[in-house]
Amino acid sequence: MSSNSSLPGRRMVYFLFMLGFFAIFSTTISKNPVLPLFSQALGAGDAVIGLIAAVSPLAGILFSFPVGVISDHLGRRRLLIVSGLVFLSAPLLYLIINNPFWLIPIRFFHGTATAILGPVVSAIIAERFPDNKGEMLGQYSSATLIGRTLAPVVGGFVISLFVMYPGLIPYRIVYIVAALAALPVLILILMFKEEKHGTLAFVPFSSFRSSFVMFFSERKLRATAFVDMATYFAFGSFETFFPLVLLSQGIGAYLIGALFAVQTLVIAATKPFFGRIADRIDKRIQIVTGLLVLGISTAAIPFASSFAVFLLVSSLIGLGISLSTVATSAYIADVAEKGQMGASMGALSSVMDIGHSAGPIVTGVIVAGSGYVAGFFSSLLIAVVVCGFFILSVRDRTGN
């Protein structure tokens, strides 16, 4: 942490937390619960609604890694400004369309905002707080989770408040709120002064290729990325099929929402604590422990039979996610080469999004053929295999 920074110490912390909160609040309120309702009101069928929902994570898969590479060469601030402009402009595009198919490119465009923000902010934290990056990454993640938790509540309230207005007005007002929430994001980004930044120039393809080869040829970086992929494979399966299991057990929508809210609060509350632990103990132990807790808890879902047990299982899944993900980001920062922090964080984010997208697809196929027990067990199986691969990959050459 440099004493010459214009946002040193605690001020930098508050800056990052406010940035993460407003950014994720804005993008989440644009999606949940308004997006499927808005899509349906525009005349979209189930297949189109599913496609609209799928394109936003695709932006993360495609752009997180190249964005990280570009930020290593051109500086973090320039990329953050691009992200801030997308956060502010994307919600306004929802206001001018009347055809549901236009939501597909708009959602992809909107998804680029978080695809840029995530790896760039992670790289900033890792560089500015080298001695307690685990704790800072955990606190930043908690700030984004608070925004992610509040957004659906506010979005649902706005829709309910304006439900008597005709046509698409209630939904369009939600997107106006999303744009207003994105305004402080851009203001905060413009306040950010970078300690050093590269010359504005074309980044050659060889830079992307060398960063890609560097990341995936380094066994520790590669194995850690696979851990995040397995983590979000399980989480994607959980968030898609857990509600269906609950409905089959006669648990109503209100209680289903409560279970998800409690899990989000568990993650938000524990990530700073687990981040501090990651700064003090061997991060590899924490990564393996978290992934195994997540895998075992996910596999236990079909065997639960009461709300209390479902609450316990959901909370344990949250703890597993919290334990593992805060340590993977910190471990990547430990292992990444100097000058490759953005590329490494971007690659981690891209692989994570692949797992998040693949989880519901693969689990859905298994559930359709063999039922929920086999479907959720696939997450445990992948977790165990990836843990074994991770342990073998991150061992020091001395055997430790």
Side-chain angles (χ1 to χ4, degrees):
M1 193 185 332
S2 171
S3 59
N4 296 323
S5 171
S6 63
L7 289 167
R10 300 309 301 176
R11 195 170 169 214
M12 170 61 85
V13 172
Y14 297 140
F15 160 79
L16 291 171
F17 294 174
M18 293 295 287
L19 176 63
F21 169 80
F22 281 109
I24 299 306
F25 178 91
S26 176
T27 191
T28 303
I29 200 174
S30 301
K31 175 180 63 176
N32 188 5
V34 68
L35 184 62
L37 302 176
F38 184 48
S39 304
Q40 190 175 59
L42 287 172
D46 291 341
V48 175
I49 291 174
L51 183 59
I52 291 168
V55 295
S56 184
L58 180 62
I61 294 172
L62 295 177
F63 291 129
S64 292
F65 172 68
V67 159
V69 176
I70 293 171
S71 75
D72 285 333
H73 288 79
L74 303 186
R76 315 291 183 210
R77 186 173 185 269
R78 292 183 176 121
L79 273 297
L80 285 179
I81 290 174
V82 173
S83 176
L85 291 172
V86 176
F87 273 116
L88 183 59
S89 61
L92 302 177
L93 297 177
Y94 297 89
L95 304 177
I96 61 175
I97 62 167
N98 290 290
N99 186 318
F101 287 98
W102 277 109
L103 285 172
I104 296 172
I106 290 173
R107 285 302 300 165
F108 185 84
F109 175 66
H110 207 165
T112 62
T114 48
I116 296 170
L117 184 76
V120 172
V121 170
S122 294
I124 290 171
I125 292 173
E127 290 170 339
R128 295 290 182 98
F129 303 97
D131 297 327
N132 59 336
K133 54 183 170 288
E135 181 179 359
M136 292 298 106
L137 286 165
Q139 290 186 7
Y140 171 77
S141 181
S142 293
T144 66
L145 283 167
I146 294 170
R148 195 183 305 276
T149 303
L150 290 177
V153 177
V154 175
F157 175 75
V158 170
I159 293 172
S160 300
L161 190 63
F162 291 92
V163 71
M164 300 305 294
Y165 286 74
L168 302 172
I169 290 177
Y171 311 119
R172 296 200 192 280
I173 291 176
V174 173
Y175 289 109
I176 292 173
V177 173
L180 291 174
L183 189 58
V185 175
L186 184 58
I187 293 172
L188 285 165
I189 288 171
L190 293 174
M191 290 170 56
F192 176 66
K193 302 299 181 184
E194 202 161 17
E195 292 180 329
K196 59 180 180 178
H197 56 82
T199 304
L200 186 60
F202 177 74
V203 180
F205 177 75
S206 59
S207 296
F208 296 96
R209 184 178 64 242
S210 62
S211 293
F212 182 88
V213 171
M214 179 280 303
F215 185 90
F216 287 100
S217 62
E218 165 53 59
R219 57 193 174 90
K220 294 180 179 180
L221 294 175
R222 183 177 61 238
T224 308
F226 285 151
V227 170
D228 260 15
M229 183 175 69
T231 298
Y232 280 89
F233 179 98
F235 182 65
S237 303
F238 164 81
E239 65 180 356
T240 303
F241 295 101
F242 187 56
L244 301 181
V245 173
L246 293 170
L247 286 174
S248 71
Q249 295 286 335
I251 295 176
Y254 174 78
L255 291 176
I256 293 174
L259 287 170
F260 276 97
V262 169
Q263 185 192 74
T264 303
L265 291 173
V266 166
I267 297 173
T270 58
K271 268 205 167 185
F273 172 71
F274 289 143
R276 285 194 294 273
I277 292 177
D279 290 328
R280 290 163 173 77
I281 69 167
D282 191 331
K283 297 176 182 66
R284 298 172 296 182
I285 297 174
Q286 185 169 330
I287 289 168
V288 171
T289 302
L291 183 54
L292 287 177
V293 169
L294 171 61
I296 294 169
S297 302
T298 304
I301 288 173
F303 302 101
S305 58
S306 68
F307 179 80
V309 178
F310 281 122
L311 179 62
L312 174 62
V313 170
S314 177
S315 298
L316 286 173
I317 289 173
L319 284 173
I321 293 171
S322 182
L323 258 175
S324 179
T325 55
V326 73
T328 53
S329 296
Y331 188 65
I332 287 286
D334 285 344
V335 178
E337 295 180 10
K338 186 177 182 181
Q340 295 284 347
M341 190 67 71
S344 298
M345 291 298 181
L348 182 69
S349 183
S350 291
V351 174
M352 176 197 76
D353 282 331
I354 291 172
H356 201 176
S357 298
I361 297 171
V362 175
T363 304
V365 171
I366 297 173
V367 167
S370 304
Y372 286 120
V373 172
F376 285 114
F377 182 77
S378 65
S379 292
L380 173 58
L381 181 62
I382 290 172
V384 170
V385 171
V386 169
C387 278
F389 177 73
F390 177 78
I391 291 169
L392 291 174
S393 299
V394 301
R395 289 175 64 191
D396 296 331
R397 295 304 185 186
T398 59
N400 296 322

